[in-house]
Amino acid sequence: MNLTLFSSLPLNSSNESGSCPVEPQHVSINVLLSLVFFLGFLLNSFSLWVFCCRMPRWSSGTTLQFHLALSDAIATPTTPMMAVYFAMGSNWPFGRFLCQLKIALLSSHFYGSTIFLTLISIHRYVAVVRFNRGSCMKRKAFVKKLCAGVWFLLLIKAVIYAVLLPPSQEGRNSQCLSIHQKKLTDVYFVINFILFIFGFLLPFLASAFCYRRLASTLTRLNISTTKGLAVKVKSQRMIGVCLVIFGLCFLPLNVVRTVGVVLNKYYPERCHVLLQFETAYYASWILAGVNCCLDPVLYCFGSQKFMGAFQSLRIGQRDCQDKSNSDMLMNK
């Protein structure tokens, strides 16, 4: 948001309807958002291609990683719409259906990612801490059904939120998923805490428990063998990447949005502060979008099959290049 415009507003400035004026976002928000999601689109498209075309046999862990990549990819269609929205001075030009589709896709993306990251953490916990015991998380058929159930719940949640949060006309601007929608203040307040508790806090605590148990187990793990060392290194890398994703990408989004909805409900006249939190909220969207770029790193560190497929692709390209050069020499 244009901070120079911010500074000229009194702390309790509002328009004639009693709501805060709609201000255009700074161009950097638009540029960074587009760059992050475009890079995420390229990386996840490549990841999905590797999963589908270079890995014919999947394990239960690979299945979870594929669905994480899929949840990252579904955010891509929303990026051009949000870019146009910001470019038009925070004015939504696409109508009701596309606004609701945007909400449905973003909801499925952000909270699908947290759920599948948590399931990957639980899977690593089972694979390392309970490696000598039977578990349904080790069975690919069960994991497939589990992923289908997660997508069903995400679909139901997305439809409910899309219906409860329609676009609205606020002054001269049409708003979609914005603090300026005063009639939806109470709805935003309730939905935020549902998302914060069940979409972020509980998955984060479950993952933290798995990481703690993993760290405790890894200190006692026998690394005198090559296999033991590989398991330790693989698990440590997965722990590090997952912690970075939760802390860097999803924590700011949930904290900023929670503070914002509380201020919007109980201090609606503090427009200067609310507008600053609106900018911080969109900036946290960018950080949340970084998870699309970090998750492929998780696949490389956490899956030997993914890394093997990637390396075989590089070797295949090099062999093709060598063959091409050899053919050229023979023709000469």
Side-chain angles (χ1 to χ4, degrees):
M1 186 171 293
N2 193 325
L3 297 182
T4 58
L5 292 176
F6 255 172
S7 60
S8 64
L9 289 170
L11 293 182
N12 60 348
S13 63
S14 61
N15 59 21
E16 294 178 358
S17 63
S19 61
C20 296
V22 179
E23 293 286 351
Q25 293 296 316
H26 193 274
V27 66
S28 60
I29 294 289
N30 202 0
V31 172
L32 290 174
L33 186 70
S34 300
L35 287 176
V36 166
F37 277 94
F38 178 70
L39 179 59
F41 167 72
L42 294 179
L43 291 173
N44 282 285
S45 296
F46 173 77
S47 300
L48 290 172
W49 177 79
V50 171
F51 282 126
C52 295
C53 301
R54 307 293 296 185
M55 300 175 65
R57 299 183 62 182
W58 291 1
S59 64
S60 54
T62 305
T63 302
L64 291 172
Q65 292 168 14
F66 168 78
H67 285 278
L68 176 60
L70 193 61
S71 69
D72 289 340
I74 62 175
T76 302
T78 66
T79 306
M81 292 189 289
M82 289 190 292
V84 173
Y85 172 69
F86 291 136
M88 295 184 64
S90 299
N91 182 38
W92 184 259
F94 300 111
R96 182 186 183 93
F97 173 76
L98 288 181
C99 174
Q100 293 174 317
L101 179 63
K102 164 196 163 183
I103 294 171
L105 291 177
L106 286 177
S107 171
S108 299
H109 160 60
F110 287 137
Y111 296 98
S113 295
T114 59
I115 292 173
F116 286 117
L117 279 171
T118 303
L119 291 177
I120 289 173
S121 303
I122 294 173
H123 182 268
R124 290 309 305 160
Y125 166 79
V126 170
V128 176
V129 178
R130 299 176 176 269
F131 66 94
N132 58 350
R133 305 179 191 178
S135 172
C136 57
M137 288 296 292
K138 297 180 181 180
R139 299 198 300 267
K140 187 168 64 173
F142 172 81
V143 171
K144 285 182 177 180
K145 294 177 181 178
L146 181 62
C147 291
V150 170
W151 281 113
F152 178 75
L153 291 176
L154 288 173
L155 176 62
I156 297 300
K157 177 174 67 67
V159 171
I160 292 174
Y161 291 164
V163 171
L164 293 177
L165 301 173
S168 62
Q169 191 72 27
E170 306 294 334
R172 297 181 178 179
N173 288 32
S174 177
Q175 295 292 292
C176 175
L177 200 63
S178 169
I179 64 169
H180 302 287
Q181 296 175 277
K182 290 303 178 182
K183 293 182 179 179
L184 299 178
T185 298
D186 293 335
V187 179
Y188 278 125
F189 186 83
V190 173
I191 287 179
N192 169 76
F193 281 95
I194 293 175
L195 291 176
F196 181 79
I197 294 172
F198 296 101
F200 172 74
L201 187 60
L202 291 181
F204 175 75
L205 291 177
S207 298
F209 171 79
C210 293
Y211 300 152
R212 185 172 179 274
R213 290 297 306 272
L214 271 173
S216 177
T217 301
L218 289 175
T219 59
R220 304 190 303 269
L221 189 66
N222 180 17
I223 59 172
S224 60
T225 64
T226 303
K227 183 178 180 180
L229 179 61
V231 170
K232 181 174 183 178
V233 171
K234 173 182 176 180
S235 300
Q236 285 177 329
R237 286 174 174 175
M238 290 188 72
I239 290 171
V241 174
C242 288
L243 284 175
V244 168
I245 292 173
F246 265 107
L248 175 65
C249 301
F250 297 117
L251 180 61
L253 175 69
N254 285 273
V255 170
V256 171
R257 190 188 60 228
T258 299
V259 175
V261 297
V262 170
L263 288 173
N264 193 37
K265 181 174 176 61
Y266 294 106
Y267 303 96
E269 74 283 356
R270 309 289 287 186
C271 288
H272 176 67
V273 178
L274 281 172
L275 293 174
Q276 286 183 323
F277 266 93
E278 184 182 20
T279 297
Y281 176 57
Y282 290 132
S284 68
W285 267 14
I286 298 172
L287 288 176
V290 172
N291 87 93
C292 297
C293 306
L294 293 179
D295 286 342
V297 179
L298 178 67
Y299 311 145
C300 291
F301 285 164
S303 174
Q304 293 178 348
K305 291 184 177 180
F306 188 94
M307 181 61 75
F310 180 73
Q311 290 175 344
S312 67
L313 177 64
R314 294 177 58 190
I315 293 173
Q317 289 178 336
R318 187 169 56 204
D319 290 343
C320 290
Q321 185 177 4
D322 292 342
K323 183 179 179 180
S324 177
N325 293 336
S326 176
D327 292 341
M328 292 175 62
L329 291 174
M330 290 179 65
N331 292 332
K332 290 181 179 179

